């Protein structure tokens, strides 16, 4: 879904607001890639409580940012 929003933003006339919005969506996409890289894979990872807490915190933050983007896209 983020890809669809980004594609729409790339096709839209560039205004300062569009550029800021596109930058925000690109930032969220980069955070999602980072989140995928730190996803627990092994039993040891799941026993690493600080890693799990960090992963959960980042997941929550990204979900809130994505919700904000989707709402802005729908209201557009």
């Amino acid at each position: 879904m983020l890809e669809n929003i980004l594609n729409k933003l790339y096709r839209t006339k560039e205004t300062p607001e569009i550029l800021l919005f596109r930058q925000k969506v690109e930032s969220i996409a980069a955070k999602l890639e980072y989140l995928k890289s730190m996803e627990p894979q092994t039993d040891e990872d799941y026993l690493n409580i600080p890693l799990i807490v960090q992963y959960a915190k980042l997941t929550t933050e990204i979900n809130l940012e994505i919700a904000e983007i989707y709402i802005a896209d729908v209201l557009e």
Side-chain angles (χ1 to χ4, degrees):
M1 185 70 162
L2 282 177
E3 295 92 18
N4 293 340
I5 293 171
L6 265 177
N7 287 333
K8 184 167 41 168
L9 290 171
Y10 285 126
R11 291 189 307 268
T12 304
K13 181 182 176 201
E14 289 189 358
T15 64
E17 295 83 15
I18 293 295
L19 291 173
L20 285 173
F21 191 60
R22 185 168 66 193
Q23 186 177 31
K24 187 169 190 167
V25 175
E26 289 170 341
S27 172
I28 291 170
K31 287 179 185 178
L32 281 172
E33 286 301 312
Y34 173 71
L35 186 66
K36 287 178 189 175
S37 75
M38 69 178 290
E39 185 175 358
Q41 302 289 323
T42 66
D43 289 342
E44 270 185 30
D45 291 343
Y46 283 99
L47 295 174
N48 184 344
I49 301 301
L51 175 70
I52 299 298
V53 169
Q54 181 183 8
Y55 181 79
K57 181 181 175 189
L58 188 56
T59 300
T60 302
E61 290 172 2
I62 290 173
N63 282 328
L64 290 172
E65 291 179 20
I66 290 171
E68 182 182 318
I69 293 295
Y70 287 161
I71 289 168
D73 184 53
V74 168
L75 295 177
E76 188 177 277

